[in-house]
Amino acid sequence: MNVSTVRADVLSGITVALALIPEAIAFSLIAGVDPMVGLYASFCIAVIIAFVGGRPAMISAATGAMALVMVTLVKQHGVEYLFAATVVTGILQVLMGVLRIGKLITFVPHSVLTGFVNALAILIFMAQLTHFAGEGWLMYALVAATLAIIYLLPRLTKAFPSALAAIIIISAIVIGTGIDVKTVGDMGTISSSLPVFHLPQVPVTLDTLWIVLPYSFSLALVGIMESLLTATIVDEMTNTPSDKNREVKGQGIANVVTGFFGGMAGCAMIGQSVINVKSGGRTRLSTFVAGMFLLFLILVLGNVVKQIPMAALVGVMFMVSIGTFDWRSLTELRKVPLGDAVVMIATVAIVVVTHDLSKGVIAGVVLSAIIFAWKMASIRTTASEHQGVRTYTVYGQLFFGTVYPFADLFAVTEDPDIVRIDFAHSHVWDQSAVKAIAKVQAKYAQAGKQVQLVGLNEQSRQLVDKLGLAVPANP
């Protein structure tokens, strides 16, 4: 690691830390807990994941997606049960990592990933609009000035992250001139105190476990889903691979520790990860610096942080939203297959309406599977006859979605005494397919005719043999 890389990682980590504060406070308020719960969580998770995570330069902290799952638990049982649920969430995630559940990300289609990214960009943009409520033209002017610095400064120099420069310049102007605008301090109270080890004050009983387990399971799934999708996006941005299963286990370890230090469960943050990468962050050092500088801001510069204008941070998040959205996906809508376009739009719509990333992604994956099955549910045969033997050549995949049309492809009464079914251009996928073949054989047997199955590939023949269907040797 050379000096320029270290410098870039440190500066990008500082930028991320500044942007984390209002986000952590906002997510704490969503969950119905004290702002320090989100801030402690962001510090703990960022620092720990820097060592045990599987995706360097990815930022993990308290997130809105996780906060939404916690609302009912906190309201009905209190914050101590949230700490317990956070620990259980981490344990579940470690177990999922051991089971190598990270490979499931390969089953997420590109159209769903694009929809996830675009929906998140829209949610980030929408979340900033609340900061304009009750504000005058100064708020708009400062946000515009922030964006101008972010996009124009790189034309002069790339030695310093433009987002961090924008936050410093706009904050200096506001603090120096005494302009009355909304600041970080207006978001919530920031206490200058270290997180301390804290055992969740809940009864250690099965009843407690049954209370927190449903929430913990949901948190574990949402956290893994968002983290793996974010890791995939960072992979593409940096052209480097990540260890998905290590990331799953790392998220679990981070959440277990966080639950014992008064924090809420968290996961990867695409917005902050984009800030980090665009600011030059490439290694684990950037993530570590983000967590440590966040703690430094809380303990030492708390009074200064409270004076940072929200306009500067809103401008940075607008930059994240603009940079995250896949604008090319709009121009390619007419070029991609209709099914992919529908999946992408549906994923975006569900996420934006429900504000739940997991629902949108799950719906997108299910819809993609249905469309894929529909496309595959096409099967046909061609028939030829030679020396009293009729050969049916099967084209297409034989599975539960094609068994009914498959049965209608044969003229049992008109065929000669020997019929050959050639599967050289097909594949037998499941029990339904084998049963369909057996039914065709039975129809010919009732008519006193013989059926020969030929051309089965190795996997198809193994399945047919395993399920006990008699297959005469290929002639």
Side-chain angles (χ1 to χ4, degrees):
M1 185 183 294
N2 55 42
V3 175
S4 61
T5 302
V6 171
R7 182 175 176 278
D9 282 331
V10 170
L11 291 176
S12 62
I14 291 172
T15 307
V16 169
L18 289 167
L20 271 175
I21 290 178
E23 297 277 291
I25 294 174
F27 299 148
S28 298
L29 297 177
I30 290 173
V33 296
D34 187 274
M36 295 308 297
V37 173
L39 290 169
Y40 286 156
S42 296
F43 155 68
C44 290
I45 295 172
V47 169
I48 294 167
I49 208 70
F51 293 97
V52 300
R55 173 61 263 180
M58 187 168 76
I59 304 298
S60 295
T63 66
M66 301 287 268
L68 289 169
V69 180
M70 306 168 186
V71 174
T72 305
L73 176 63
V74 174
K75 188 177 295 183
Q76 294 181 354
H77 300 283
V79 71
E80 293 295 335
Y81 277 81
L82 172 59
F83 299 150
T86 298
V87 174
V88 176
T89 296
I91 294 171
L92 290 174
Q93 288 177 325
V94 171
L95 292 175
M96 291 176 182
V98 172
L99 295 173
R100 304 186 67 80
I101 203 170
K103 65 170 62 177
L104 293 179
I105 191 65
T106 59
F107 293 97
V108 178
H110 182 73
S111 54
V112 175
L113 183 60
T114 302
F116 166 82
V117 170
N118 290 347
L120 203 52
I122 294 171
L123 289 181
I124 291 172
F125 182 87
M126 292 171 60
Q128 310 313 310
L129 300 181
T130 57
H131 298 299
F132 289 91
E135 296 295 313
W137 65 270
L138 272 175
M139 178 70 173
Y140 294 89
L142 290 171
V143 170
T146 301
L147 288 170
I149 295 170
I150 289 173
Y151 288 111
L152 295 178
L153 183 62
R155 297 187 179 185
L156 300 176
T157 177
K158 294 184 179 180
F160 199 81
S162 61
L164 179 57
I167 294 172
I168 293 173
I169 293 170
I170 299 300
S171 298
I173 293 172
V174 170
I175 295 172
T177 59
I179 298 174
D180 185 17
V181 291
K182 186 183 293 184
T183 63
V184 171
D186 296 325
M187 294 285 295
T189 304
I190 300 177
S191 305
S192 298
S193 57
L194 279 168
V196 294
F197 184 79
H198 170 80
L199 286 173
Q201 299 300 299
V202 297
V204 184
T205 63
L206 279 177
D207 288 339
T208 300
L209 179 61
W210 296 134
I211 289 172
V212 302
L213 190 59
Y215 296 98
S216 296
F217 188 71
S218 297
L219 287 167
L221 289 181
V222 171
I224 287 174
M225 191 179 303
E226 190 162 350
S227 297
L228 292 180
L229 289 170
T230 303
T232 302
I233 293 165
V234 176
D235 289 350
E236 294 180 357
M237 291 179 70
T238 60
N239 292 317
T240 55
S242 60
D243 186 336
K244 302 297 191 299
N245 287 306
R246 178 177 175 180
E247 183 61 37
V248 172
K249 287 183 281 189
Q251 292 288 333
I253 294 169
N255 279 321
V256 169
V257 175
T258 297
F260 286 122
F261 280 87
M264 56 198 276
C267 63
M269 304 180 73
I270 186 171
Q272 308 302 333
S273 298
V274 169
I275 291 176
N276 193 38
V277 172
K278 286 186 176 292
S279 298
R282 289 294 182 274
T283 72
R284 298 178 184 276
L285 179 61
S286 60
T287 307
F288 178 76
V289 170
M292 291 305 298
F293 193 71
L294 174 62
L295 183 64
F296 177 76
L297 291 173
I298 295 170
L299 297 178
V300 181
L301 299 179
N303 290 329
V304 176
V305 169
K306 293 175 186 177
Q307 299 179 64
I308 295 176
M310 284 304 303
L313 299 175
V314 167
V316 171
M317 296 312 294
F318 275 162
M319 176 271 290
V320 172
S321 175
I322 295 168
T324 301
F325 196 92
D326 186 353
W327 298 98
R328 194 170 64 178
S329 65
L330 297 180
T331 60
E332 292 180 347
L333 272 179
R334 293 185 178 182
K335 300 178 183 178
V336 300
L338 178 61
D340 289 346
V342 169
V343 169
M344 193 267 280
I345 294 171
T347 302
V348 171
I350 293 171
V351 172
V352 171
V353 170
T354 64
H355 285 232
D356 190 329
L357 293 166
S358 61
K359 288 179 181 176
V361 172
I362 291 172
V365 171
V366 171
L367 184 57
S368 294
I370 292 172
I371 292 173
F372 176 77
W374 183 266
K375 289 179 179 178
M376 292 295 102
S378 174
I379 195 164
R380 63 184 179 86
T381 61
T382 58
S384 61
E385 191 167 335
H386 180 66
Q387 296 181 346
V389 178
R390 174 162 290 184
T391 301
Y392 286 94
T393 303
V394 182
Y395 295 89
Q397 309 302 307
L398 187 56
F399 67 111
F400 66 88
T402 56
V403 294
Y404 293 109
F406 174 77
D408 298 328
L409 296 175
F410 305 93
V412 177
T413 57
E414 301 171 7
D415 286 341
D417 291 341
I418 300 177
V419 174
R420 184 177 296 161
I421 305 177
D422 186 355
F423 288 93
H425 301 282
S426 182
H427 187 99
V428 180
W429 284 103
D430 55 18
Q431 182 184 15
S432 298
V434 177
K435 292 293 184 183
I437 297 171
K439 288 179 180 178
V440 171
Q441 281 187 321
K443 286 183 180 180
Y444 279 106
Q446 289 175 358
K449 300 175 182 180
Q450 179 187 353
V451 175
Q452 298 175 349
L453 305 182
V454 300
L456 287 165
N457 58 37
E458 186 62 27
Q459 292 88 349
S460 297
R461 177 170 286 277
Q462 286 178 359
L463 177 62
V464 168
D465 291 343
K466 185 177 181 180
L467 293 177
L469 181 63
V471 183
N474 293 346

